[in-house]
Amino acid sequence: MLKYQVVYASRTGNTQKIAAKIFETLPGTSKDIQKVEEAGKEADVYFVGFWNDKGTCSGSIMDYLSELHGRKVALFGTCGMGGSREYFDQVAHRVEALIPDDNEYLGAFLCCGKMPGQVLERYKMMQEVEDSPRIRKMIQVYEEGMLHPDEADLDKAARFTREVLEKLQKA
Ligand SMILES: Cc1cc2nc3c(=O)[nH]c(=O)nc-3n(C[C@H](O)[C@H](O)[C@H](O)COP(=O)(O)O)c2cc1C
């Protein structure tokens, strides 16, 4: 049985970057990284990664998590609407609740991930109809997200991975 399995869903590559960093940080050779459609369920420790789909993970990750039993599971994810710790915590808790109780939960790492250009185009169209503080804020959040995940996010993902490994050693 594999020691570590990194599994992820990623439409535009943000979550894939975090997945690759986590995989690279994991020690030894008993490890694998797969997109959720191709991933098995024969490892001891799982790092499951998702992109934020309307406040939670996408259906493929929901299905994958629901089938994990008796494993150790850490989560990671990227959100277009980043920047707020409370929001990240909220999303992490929502996805954590999808992990069956007979698994051991190891924590979550979330960071910001840039959104596709069409989102900005939509915001700009909304702004032409009505230029409100709310739409200006949405454009600001979009622009702040444009550079993520960046090197600092990848460093944090590596740190998170090491913290999970320490937790496993203590257990
Ligand atoms: C259909 C759809 C819904 C989304 N819903 C949210 C959301 O509710 N909150 C959020 O922060 N980001 C949301 N996003 C943005 C993505 O989660 C974000 O850009 C993410 O980093 C994409 O990851 P990927 O590059 O791995 O696909 C949504 C994106 C799409 C396409």
Side-chain angles (χ1 to χ4, degrees), residues 18-76:
I18 303 294
K21 187 69 186 184
I22 290 174
F23 179 72
E24 177 195 308
T25 309
L26 290 169
T29 53
S30 184
K31 58 180 183 177
D32 186 31
I33 177 167
Q34 293 287 351
K35 288 190 171 163
V36 64
E37 295 81 14
E38 288 139 36
K41 298 183 188 75
E42 288 305 320
D44 180 27
V45 182
Y46 287 79
F47 286 80
V48 181
F50 61 93
W51 56 275
N52 181 339
D53 187 357
K54 300 178 206 76
T56 182
C57 61
S58 62
S60 60
I61 294 291
M62 284 183 188
D63 292 347
Y64 190 84
L65 287 173
S66 73
E67 288 169 12
L68 285 180
H69 295 285
R71 310 294 187 196
K72 301 177 182 100
V73 184
L75 296 173
F76 62 98

Side-chain angles (χ1 to χ4, degrees), residues 9-16 51-55 78-81 87 113-116:
S10 185
R11 292 173 85 224
T12 60
N14 298 328
T15 314
Q16 186 171 18
W51 56 275
N52 181 339
D53 187 357
K54 300 178 206 76
T78 63
C79 302
M81 282 151 246
Y87 183 64
K114 62 183 159 306
M115 289 190 281

Side-chain angles (χ1 to χ4, degrees), residues 34-146:
Q34 293 287 351
K35 288 190 171 163
V36 64
E37 295 81 14
E38 288 139 36
K41 298 183 188 75
E42 288 305 320
D44 180 27
V45 182
Y46 287 79
F47 286 80
V48 181
F50 61 93
W51 56 275
N52 181 339
D53 187 357
K54 300 178 206 76
T56 182
C57 61
S58 62
S60 60
I61 294 291
M62 284 183 188
D63 292 347
Y64 190 84
L65 287 173
S66 73
E67 288 169 12
L68 285 180
H69 295 285
R71 310 294 187 196
K72 301 177 182 100
V73 184
L75 296 173
F76 62 98
T78 63
C79 302
M81 282 151 246
S84 144
R85 174 92 223 172
E86 291 76 41
Y87 183 64
F88 284 170
D89 286 349
Q90 215 181 68
V91 175
H93 284 135
R94 218 171 276 148
V95 180
E96 178 194 344
L98 303 170
I99 304 172
D101 287 344
D102 60 344
N103 294 284
E104 183 186 339
Y105 178 59
L106 298 166
F109 168 72
L110 267 70
C111 72
C112 202
K114 62 183 159 306
M115 289 190 281
Q118 299 98 294
V119 175
L120 181 62
E121 281 167 31
R122 201 170 64 231
Y123 289 170
K124 293 252 158 105
M125 267 151 64
M126 286 160 72
Q127 194 175 33
E128 272 173 32
V129 177
E130 192 193 351
D131 186 13
S132 64
R134 186 170 151 266
I135 188 72
R136 260 174 269 149
K137 178 76 190 165
M138 282 156 75
I139 291 173
Q140 187 195 338
V141 169
Y142 176 91
E143 285 171 347
E144 283 164 6
M146 272 170 64

